[in-house]
Structures are given as C-alpha cells and as structure tokens.
Amino acid sequence: MKKNISNLDWSRLLLLGVAGISALAILGLLAMVVWMSLRTGVPGQPSSYTLKNYTALLNDPYTYRVMVTTLIFSAVTIAVSVPLGFVFAWLIERTDLPYKALAMSLLSIGILFPTFLKAMGWVFLLHPRIGVINIFLMQLFGLKNAPLNIATLPGIGFVEGLTLAPLAYVMISAALRGMNPAFVEAASIHGVSKWRTLLRVELPLVWPALVSAVIWMLTVAIAAFDVPGVIGMANNIFTFSTAIYFMINPNEGLPRYGLSGAYGTIMVGLSLILMFPYFRALKQSHRYQIISGKSYQSRPIELGRWWLFGWGLLGLYLVLAFILPLLAIFWVSLLPYVQVPSRQAFSVASFERYSAVVFDSALLQAAWNTLVLMVAVPTLIVSISTAISWVVTRSRMRGRMVLDAIAFLPHPVPHLLFALAIAYVALLVSDVVPLYGTLFVLLAVYVICWISFGTRVLNNSMVQVHRELEEAAQVGGVPTFRVLWKVILPLIRPGLVYAWIWTSLSAYRELTMAVFLASPNSQLLSTYIWGQWHGGGLGDAAAIAVIMIVIMSPLVTSFWIYARRQQHVASSVS
Amino acid sequence: MIGIHSLTKTFKTATDTVRAVDGVDLQVKEKEFFVLLGLSGSGKTTLLRCVAGLEKPESGEISLGEQIVSSAERGIFIPPEDRAIGMVFQSYAVWPHMTVFQNVAFPLTDGKRRLPRSKVQERVVAALELVQLSAVADRPVPFLSGGQQQRVALARALAVEPRVLLMDEPLSNLDARLREEVREEIRGLAKKLGITVLYVTHDQVEAMALADRIAVMSEGKILQIGAPQVLYHFPLNQSVGEFLGSMNEFAGTVQNESCVKTDLGMVHCAVPNGAPTEVIVAIRPEDLCLSCDPSGSNNEFPARLISQLFLGDITVYYLSANEKKMRGKTTQVDRQLKTGSRVYVRFPAEKLKIFPR
C-alpha cells in the first residue's frame, strides 16, 4: 500500500484535481438552484426548508401563462429555424449550389453574431410605435394603427428562429454529411427520381438527426433570453428565462430568490428530461451512418437554374437575419429620434452620438472589462478542458465517463440558472468574501458554463491522437506532464486555438449570464447596451451596438479564416 | 534478463472478464532475440505491454535484470518511464510534429534519463547512422515513407540504450518486400549491438526468421517455448504444429509402440511413451515422398493425384488416398507425375508427429 502512495504522480494528481474541482463546481451550482428553491427570504437570512415556493408557483395563474408563452415561443422558433436549417443544409451538402463555401461561412459566422443586437434591430424595424417599416407603411397608406408588430409572441419567436437557423443548419448538415451517399446512389441507379429519393430515402435516413436537432432547438429556445429579454419583456411577454430575471430584478419590492429557484428547478428538470429523447435520436442517427475509411462524395444534385432560387432563399435569410436589423440599428444611431428615411431625416443624421458615447468613462470601463473576460475566460476554459479531456480520453480512470457527463451538463441546462446560482452563492458569502457584483463572478460562471464546449472540442481532438504516440514517450522515460505538454498539446493545437477563439468571441457577445451578475462596477459592453436599452437610451444603445459590431467583424473574420484552414468548421457546436 | 513469473492480466468487458495473460512463466536470456508468436487475441501484445509497464498485471512478477519492476503481491509497480526500456510500436508512434532528429532526441532531452546536450547530439547521430537515416535527420516525419518512419521508431528506441528492446508487430504495416528487408536489418542490428529483444508477431515466418527462441501463445497461455527448428519439427501439440506450418493429419488408434492404425492403413512410427490410444498422426507436406511406382517400403500408400500447382520455387500436389485429402510439396519437378494418375505416397517414419486426439 505504501509503495503505491510513493508512486503517485503529481502531474496526474494536478490534472485530476482540476477536473474534479470543475465537476464539483458544476454539480454544486445545480444543487444550489434546487437548494434556493427550498428556502425563503433574502440569501443568508435564516430560513427553514420549505415547499412554499412550489405551492406558490403552482397556485399562481401567472406560472401557467409563462409556461404556455414559453411553449408557443419555442414552437414558433422551431417552426422557423429547423426548416430553414434543413433547406440550407441540403443545398450545401447535397447540391451543386455555386459559392457553397461562402454560404457555409456566412451561416456559421451567424452563430456568433450577438443575438440581442439582432433583436434590437427588429424592434427598430417593426415596433408598432418606433418601427421604421411600420411608420413608413402608416404614412404610405394613411393607416391609424401599425400593420405589423414584432413585440408579439409570434414576433419574438420569429426573430429567435432566424437567430437559431444557423445552429439548425450546422446540426443537420453534420447528419447529411455523415450519411452514406451510396444509399442515395442505389436509389437513383434503380430508377428512383431525385425528388422521390429525397422524400423516401434521404429524409427517413436523416429523420433521427432531424428529431435530435428539433429537441436541441427546444432546449435552446426554452433557455433563450436575449430576444425575449429585449423585445418581449417591455411588452409584458414573459418566458421562463425572462420571468426568472424579472423575479430577481423586480420593478418594486425585494428579489424573490426562492421562487426563481423553483422556476429554475423546473427548467433544470425539463432540460435534463429532454436529453433522453435527444440522445436516443442521436444514437439512432449514428446507426444510420456508415463510416467508411474512404470518404467519397456522391455526385451532387444538379440544381440547374434552380440555383438562383437557392441563393435567393439564402439571400432573403441573410437580409432578414443580419442586413436589415443592422441597417436599422445604424440608421437609428445616426438620428436624434427614430424616424423614417427621408430628405428631412437625412439632413439631421450625424455621428454626433458616437463622439458623445465613445468618451464616456463608464463605456470605456465596460470595454476594458469585456476585454479582460475575452482573454481570461478562454484561457481558463482551455486549461480546465484540457485537464478534463485528458482524464476522459487518455487516462483509464474508473468513472471518467461520469466526469464527461458532468462536463456536458452545462450544455443543455440554461446558462442563466448557473448565473442565478452563482449570484446566490456570492450573496451568501458576501460578508466573508465580497464577491457579489465583481468581474470575478462573471468570469467564474462563463468558465463553468462553457467547459462543456471546451471539452467537446478537446475530447474530439484528443481521441484522434493515437494512444501509442503517448506510450512511446512514456516508455522513452518522459513523465506524464511533459508528455501532455510536448506531445499531446502540440498535436491538438488546432483544437485548442479553435476552442480559445470561439469562447473568447462568445464572451464578447454574451448577454444572458452577464445581466444576472453585472453590477455598476462590472459592466460589460453587452450589459451596458442592455442598460441603455431599458433605460430609454435607444439611440445610444444603437450607437454602441454599431461600435460593437465594427470591432467584432475583423475578429470573427480572422477566426473564420483560421477555422477553415484547420478544417474545424464549427463542427463542435452541437 | 527478462523474468516473468505466473503473470496474470485480465480485462473487463461489458459482459465478462477475459484473461488476456493467464499465468505465464518465461525467462528471456541476456542478448537473446525472443519472439512471442500467436494469433490476435492470444495475449502476446498484452504480455509485452505488461513488460513495458503500460499494463498493470493483477498477479505475478516481472523482473528486468536484477530489478523487480512489477510484482502485484509485493505492491511493486515501476511506471514505464522508469523502466529504462526501448519500444517500437505497431503504429510506429513517431511524433508527427517533430523532425526525425527531434523524435530520436526527445526521450534523451525530456526523459527521466536525461543527457547533456552534447551527448544527445552524439547519441542521436549514432542512432540515425545505425538505421541509415542520417540524410533525412532534419525532415519532419510525416514526409517519410512507412519504412523510414519504422526506422525512426527503431532509432528512437535504440538511442536510449535500453537494457531491453520491446517490439510490437513492428513490420505489420509494411508491404511484403520491405518487410523482408527490414526484418534482416532488425535481426542484424540486435545481434551487432548485443541487446535483449522481446518481439511480438502473428507471422510464423517472421518469427522463425528472427528468433533465437519462440514462445507460441494461445488464449493467454504459453503452449511451447523453443528454438524455431525445434518448434517446427518437434511441436508438443497439434496447435503449435499447425501454427508454424501446414500439416496432413490423420486420426488413428495406437496398436503398439511402433504401429498406429489410420484410415489409410497401418502406419509405422515411433509412438512416444505415455501417448493415449486415440491419436493424430501428422506430417508436413514437404516431408511426403511421391513416386509413380511402388518401392515396397513401409508406410507407402496408393493415392490419386488430383491436381498440381506450380508456384515457381515449389510445386504443390493435391492428393486423395482412401477418400482422405493430402497435400504434398516439393522443389523437384517430376514430369512423370500426371494429374489424375495413380501415384504412391510414402511417409518417412522419422518425419511423423504423433499428437493426442
């Protein structure tokens, strides 16, 4: 026994320790959500365990309204995003659509585009009072009421659906790519037409993948905060996530942590339950995939003149999802108040707001904080994920699959719940350690939530490193940590860089977790815009949004060039 | 040099546990080229990995030289990095992000047996010289051919001047012609440097070409240990005999110490002491003697020549005698032997092998 202890390898211990602590943090925060649902009053206040929150929740008609709202919102989101994603995936993977690479790039980059900015853009376009299109139509036809309204349940579902279409595309195209083209070829050789093949062979074969994509979209829609937060909240449309936000940040009265915990517990349960059908469908779809050594591509379906239709659809999507909202934001940022483009409006348009906004010290502080997170968050995530993925894929520790499952947990569970839990913890310990409202709390929750992403990417990279490469170094007398540092890490560098940049850009665009935790001392660009938005400074919010996008564009583009070169095309998003 | 005592290693699968190595005893002598031969799943690779320290056995002991490196009973387990061995892997496992030189130098610069810089240079150059790769020292390894990568792996294993060199099917990824060439090189190098080699393969020709001694393994156990000639000519049982080359086999019943009754008729041979009554009489195809006319000697049976296959260096004859199929093999072409004709097959008594049935 004693010999075994002396044989302990400190580097192994370190890796195990880092992995173990992160896993405990994930489980701890989830447990905290449940725990707070069983308490009443302000955090830290003495309270007995109680089910009062649940009875209050069940007896309140508001709960059921929120539930129905969330369901309808999710349904609309899926109805918009999945068909779009499927058509795009089919066009790109199966046909001879020209400029495929461009279409692929635009869609994949679309995932990184800040969702709340898109939502703002749509308010500027279609709000019944300030929507540019609405004002234009009213003037044109002399209408008394706005003909279109984005601030409705179908409206926010539509915007969320546009936002999630690229994610649906990525998931479905992975399934199409994994499918053996021989199935389709066999059909065509035996005289089945292309369209019939699509309906009778291809669709049934990708069906499980489609189902898993739908389920995943459902979990994302339930957790969505940006669009319901920006468009819905001000118009009294509450989904689960905005309802929880409103409980913590009420217009009057104390924050109701207990009740929000009860809501949160339901959300955790829901997202975990959804994982069962998700993984079942995924397993089924893997069964349909035939992985052959040679990856041969089937002859693409010739679109003929239909390619114009394909690009027309893509173009329309890009206009609706990016160009129009962006133009609207830009337009509003130039004006003293929202108005329709006209000669008079152009004469008052100016960049005045920008000069006023840029020298605001609070904004500069927010920009600095954002930058700190953009460096610290990905660095920590990549380090921790390396440790976890090493334990999961390289060691032969018992229980490593449990560790993998825990690291995956933050993926389906709404991130705002982790933010909620860590806020609660920070409040609990605020007498001892003044953590509440600091940048550190934001850092912690970003890292914990995105470990799931980091480990997905790095698991994938690490399993591709042949075990004997590591063993050869071991036999050559090289200790564990050095093997990791000098053999494994250099070999998975593309994965490391990919994970780093992706999470860095995610930190830049993140709003959901930030609004739960940012205080005046720890503002970020996103929360600063959020504050302006809900404080009525729509024009200023628009101006900062434009600056944010201008900064982001070169970052995203260079990332994209790197990712394409490394063949790492957003494959690990799902 | 390598001592293995009642070693056992089991693996748990989803349904049951498999004894990959099952109570193996083995002694490899200093400077010996020792080959573990067996089908895939026979436990030979697991045994090798236990010696390397890449697997931890449940019971039994392994020693390298004087040092006990693994003893489950005494709680000793020296990790692979401390065992001072060299190993060549089946996939070569040359690090793709390093050059040839860096690959060979890495264990010397970053390993537990670190050397001063000048010494590293000297060692790597010498090792590359040995495998004739000095010319490509600065090339990244992915640009090398399979055979060259194989040599990098060998140079890397030799550069640490290991007390034992372990090789796990190092030739299985090479094409047939190259395999023969590298095989000669490996044997030559091992003998020139005087190192102890433990070598794993499933190819009996490779094993016989390389080995001083072979251990034939099956289902985690060692069936027989011996020099290639011994194993080939005097296999202890049917499996070992079949593993090292094909045989014609006849079921028979022992009549007395020099006589076995088979389907062909009475076969005269030396039945070993202690053989059971029910036996198998076996003879290798090249040991059959064929002729057109009967010579009248013992163990001669009439047969029909069904077909003959000319393979260049040898000719294979397919025969049928008393409904029993047989194969003969010879380097001499006898033009009088016609397909479909009647011939006589003779089994020289000293070439017959008797196994229990």
Side-chain angles (χ1 to χ4, degrees):
Chain A
M1 239 17 250
K2 218 172 167 187
K3 285 258 165 51
N4 269 339
I5 290 168
S6 68
N7 272 342
L8 264 185
D9 183 337
W10 288 108
S11 43
R12 268 162 194 272
L13 216 59
L14 177 73
L15 289 167
L16 277 176
V18 169
I21 288 168
S22 326
L24 284 181
I26 290 169
L27 289 180
L29 286 184
L30 281 181
M32 190 51 75
V33 173
V34 180
W35 192 72
M36 66 196 263
S37 75
L38 301 173
R39 317 272 294 178
T40 54
V42 185
Q45 214 179 43
S47 151
S48 55
Y49 291 100
T50 168
L51 288 175
K52 238 171 75 188
N53 293 313
Y54 288 98
T55 49
L57 181 145
L58 290 174
N59 290 328
D60 190 353
Y62 175 76
T63 310
Y64 300 101
R65 217 168 66 220
V66 167
M67 232 179 253
V68 171
T69 305
T70 308
L71 272 182
I72 296 173
F73 168 72
S74 307
V76 176
T77 302
I78 290 168
V80 174
S81 63
V82 172
L84 277 175
F86 181 76
V87 171
F88 296 157
W90 186 76
L91 280 172
I92 290 174
E93 296 296 332
R94 280 278 180 268
T95 72
D96 63 346
L97 187 80
Y99 307 111
K100 256 185 217 175
L102 178 70
M104 235 158 98
S105 309
L106 289 171
L107 286 172
S108 304
I109 289 173
I111 297 176
L112 280 173
F113 190 89
T115 308
F116 63 99
L117 298 187
K118 212 177 288 177
M120 282 168 56
W122 274 98
V123 170
F124 291 141
L125 286 171
L126 282 185
H127 191 272
R129 196 162 35 76
I130 60 165
V132 175
I133 294 178
N134 271 329
I135 300 173
F136 176 73
L137 289 175
M138 280 156 75
Q139 285 173 358
L140 191 68
F141 298 112
L143 300 172
K144 276 209 197 78
N145 291 317
L148 300 163
N149 187 357
I150 201 68
T152 56
L153 195 45
I156 59 173
F158 169 72
V159 176
E160 186 71 41
L162 285 182
T163 302
L164 293 184
L167 188 61
Y169 153 73
V170 169
M171 295 187 77
I172 296 166
S173 77
L176 282 181
R177 214 175 304 144
M179 202 181 73
N180 192 342
F183 294 138
V184 175
E185 283 171 355
S188 71
I189 282 170
H190 294 98
V192 185
S193 77
K194 293 275 183 208
W195 295 105
R196 203 162 276 269
T197 306
L198 173 68
L199 288 177
R200 302 295 295 274
V201 177
E202 216 159 340
L203 206 57
L205 281 175
V206 291
W207 190 249
L210 221 54
V211 169
S212 69
V214 167
I215 297 171
W216 191 259
M217 289 296 136
L218 185 60
T219 64
V220 176
I222 291 172
F225 178 82
D226 290 34
V227 178
V230 169
I231 309 178
M233 237 165 62
N235 299 283
N236 261 324
I237 302 169
F238 286 97
T239 63
F240 267 124
S241 34
T242 45
I244 290 179
Y245 176 79
F246 201 64
M247 280 174 223
I248 304 301
N249 301 280
N251 288 342
E252 53 200 34
L254 286 171
R256 287 172 293 170
Y257 279 98
L259 196 59
S260 71
Y263 266 79
T265 306
I266 291 177
M267 281 179 89
V268 173
L270 202 58
S271 56
L272 292 185
I273 288 169
L274 280 173
M275 283 306 99
F276 284 102
Y278 172 72
F279 277 112
R280 253 185 60 177
L282 209 59
K283 214 167 130 190
Q284 180 78 19
S285 82
H286 286 320
R287 207 171 304 153
Y288 286 164
Q289 291 181 6
I290 295 180
I291 313 291
S292 60
K294 285 174 259 172
S295 66
Y296 78 106
Q297 196 110 68
S298 67
R299 201 165 56 89
I301 295 167
E302 281 165 29
L303 284 178
R305 235 175 295 160
W306 284 91
W307 78 267
L308 275 170
F309 184 76
W311 261 106
L313 200 69
L314 269 164
L316 181 67
Y317 169 74
L318 293 173
V319 166
L320 287 180
F322 303 104
I323 298 170
L324 267 185
L326 262 181
L327 281 179
I329 292 175
F330 184 60
W331 174 246
V332 169
S333 75
L334 298 177
L335 296 172
Y337 61 93
V338 183
Q339 47 193 311
V340 185
S342 65
R343 190 171 301 163
Q344 188 268 335
F346 274 108
S347 69
V348 294
S350 77
F351 285 94
E352 226 169 284
R353 273 185 202 288
Y354 287 86
S355 47
V357 149
V358 167
F359 295 107
D360 183 26
S361 66
L363 180 69
L364 291 177
Q365 184 61 47
W368 171 250
N369 287 344
T370 305
L371 183 68
V372 169
L373 287 188
M374 281 178 74
V375 175
V377 166
T379 307
L380 276 168
I381 286 174
V382 167
S383 316
I384 293 172
S385 300
T386 300
I388 294 178
S389 290
W390 184 86
V391 173
V392 170
T393 65
R394 311 308 295 189
S395 82
R396 276 187 272 174
M397 261 236 330
R398 213 172 300 165
R400 63 187 188 279
M401 293 332 279
V402 176
L403 178 67
D404 193 40
I406 295 173
F408 173 76
L409 267 185
H411 221 37
V413 173
H415 291 171
L416 69 98
L417 299 179
F418 285 94
L420 178 68
I422 213 166
Y424 196 77
V425 173
L427 281 171
L428 277 181
V429 300
S430 59
D431 291 340
V432 194
V433 213
L435 278 180
Y436 188 77
T438 61
L439 204 55
F440 182 79
V441 188
L442 279 163
L443 175 72
V445 79
Y446 280 23
V447 169
I448 289 170
C449 282
W450 292 334
I451 283 175
S452 55
F453 175 81
T455 50
R456 283 330 89 185
V457 175
L458 295 188
N459 279 357
N460 243 335
S461 307
M462 278 199 199
V463 292
Q464 282 167 26
V465 177
H466 199 299
R467 186 164 222 127
E468 287 186 349
L469 288 172
E470 190 179 354
E471 289 174 349
Q474 236 179 317
V475 170
V478 185
T480 309
F481 206 72
R482 246 167 209 276
V483 177
L484 182 67
W485 189 251
K486 291 233 173 160
V487 176
I488 299 177
L489 291 189
L491 289 175
I492 62 166
R493 204 184 57 187
L496 294 172
V497 175
Y498 177 82
W500 197 96
I501 300 179
W502 183 278
T503 43
S504 176
L505 290 171
S506 300
Y508 183 72
R509 58 156 279 182
E510 175 66 20
L511 174 75
T512 311
M513 291 184 268
V515 294
F516 275 85
L517 294 167
S519 70
N521 302 321
S522 58
Q523 285 292 324
L524 305 176
L525 283 178
S526 56
T527 56
Y528 192 83
I529 294 176
W530 171 265
Q532 293 288 337
W533 179 263
H534 285 288
L538 298 191
D540 286 354
I544 304 164
V546 171
I547 296 173
M548 229 181 133
I549 290 163
V550 168
I551 297 174
M552 190 175 189
S553 304
L555 290 178
V556 171
T557 312
S558 47
F559 161 64
W560 185 246
I561 291 167
Y562 177 84
R564 275 195 69 85
R565 220 177 32 209
Q566 304 288 349
Q567 307 264 307
H568 226 304
V569 183
S571 55
S572 339
V573 183
S574 43
Chain B
M1 189 62 195
I2 307 173
I4 297 170
H5 301 285
S6 46
L7 197 76
T8 298
K9 169 76 195 168
T10 57
F11 287 113
K12 285 190 183 63
T13 62
T15 46
D16 60 344
T17 53
V18 180
R19 286 178 164 248
V21 175
D22 194 358
V24 163
D25 281 287
L26 197 65
Q27 293 293 328
V28 179
K29 293 180 210 129
E30 182 99 43
K31 298 186 183 181
E32 189 174 28
F33 204 119
F34 196 97
V35 174
L36 295 172
L37 177 65
L39 297 170
S40 62
S42 61
K44 56 192 190 309
T45 296
T46 307
L47 180 57
L48 187 82
R49 289 170 61 85
C50 285
V51 176
L54 297 169
E55 303 286 350
K56 197 171 176 178
E58 276 86 40
S59 68
E61 217 171 82
I62 301 171
S63 57
L64 295 175
E66 300 292 294
Q67 187 190 18
I68 292 170
V69 291
S70 173
S71 170
E73 286 73 19
R74 287 194 252 176
I76 298 172
F77 183 77
I78 313 268
E81 55 263 38
D82 293 326
R83 290 198 181 184
I85 47 181
M87 183 161 174
V88 178
F89 291 83
Q90 184 171 14
S91 68
Y92 316 148
V94 290
W95 299 299
H97 59 302
M98 299 181 189
T99 64
V100 171
F101 187 94
Q102 286 168 334
N103 256 284
V104 180
F106 186 60
L108 303 174
T109 54
D110 289 64
K112 291 271 176 76
R113 292 155 276 164
R114 215 163 292 178
L115 294 174
R117 201 160 278 279
S118 59
K119 199 96 167 105
V120 170
Q121 179 79 21
E122 202 175 289
R123 276 277 188 99
V124 176
V125 167
L128 289 177
E129 195 79 38
L130 273 181
V131 297
Q132 298 155 36
L133 279 182
S134 314
V136 293
D138 294 322
R139 213 171 295 171
V141 285
F143 293 121
L144 303 184
S145 69
Q148 285 174 315
Q149 292 193 14
Q150 173 64 60
R151 287 179 202 181
V152 176
L154 185 59
R156 179 178 67 190
L158 291 174
V160 296
E161 295 186 350
R163 42 184 178 176
V164 170
L165 179 61
L166 307 177
M167 304 181 100
D168 183 10
E169 309 228 7
L171 304 181
S172 59
N173 286 328
L174 300 179
D175 62 61
R177 202 166 297 179
L178 198 57
R179 201 179 304 164
E180 216 165 295
E181 195 183 309
V182 180
R183 195 168 75 196
E184 297 317 310
E185 277 180 28
I186 288 176
R187 165 98 191 165
L189 269 177
K191 288 298 153 196
K192 182 169 141 198
L193 300 174
I195 38 181
T196 312
V197 182
L198 187 58
Y199 187 108
V200 161
T201 183
H202 64 267
D203 180 339
Q204 80 280 4
V205 177
E206 193 173 306
M208 288 189 279
L210 284 167
D212 295 325
R213 280 196 303 157
I214 300 175
V216 179
M217 282 189 78
S218 175
E219 292 176 349
K221 292 193 169 70
I222 290 183
L223 299 180
Q224 189 176 357
I225 302 178
Q229 296 84 346
V230 174
L231 293 192
Y232 190 81
H233 294 299
F234 309 104
L236 280 181
N237 55 48
Q238 203 179 346
S239 317
V240 175
E242 283 173 355
F243 204 89
L244 288 164
S246 58
M247 294 189 299
N248 296 299
E249 292 165 3
F250 312 94
T253 317
V254 174
Q255 306 295 308
N256 54 48
E257 66 272 17
S258 64
C259 217
V260 179
K261 185 171 178 246
T262 70
D263 296 344
L264 290 178
M266 213 51 96
V267 173
H268 297 273
C269 57
V271 179
N273 285 335
T277 324
E278 303 295 308
V279 294
I280 299 242
V281 179
I283 184 160
R284 295 204 182 277
E286 68 271 23
D287 294 335
L288 289 184
C289 297
L290 283 186
S291 59
C292 295
D293 307 307
S295 62
S297 44
N298 265 350
N299 296 346
E300 192 166 55
F301 307 99
R304 179 178 295 280
L305 180 56
I306 298 169
S307 64
Q308 39 187 323
L309 215 60
F310 174 66
L311 295 176
D313 53 346
I314 56 161
T315 306
V316 179
Y317 298 100
Y318 291 90
L319 305 151
S320 166
N322 207 6
E323 304 286 298
K324 287 287 296 177
K325 297 251 191 312
M326 268 185 277
R327 251 153 50 96
K329 206 193 265 178
T330 170
T331 50
Q332 281 114 37
V333 182
D334 187 342
R335 290 191 184 281
Q336 288 187 306
L337 293 172
K338 294 271 184 311
T339 304
S341 67
R342 194 177 176 76
V343 294
Y344 291 89
V345 188
R346 191 168 58 82
F347 302 158
E350 71 276 14
K351 302 285 190 186
L352 287 169
K353 308 169 209 323
I354 312 288
F355 304 123
R357 189 142 37 123

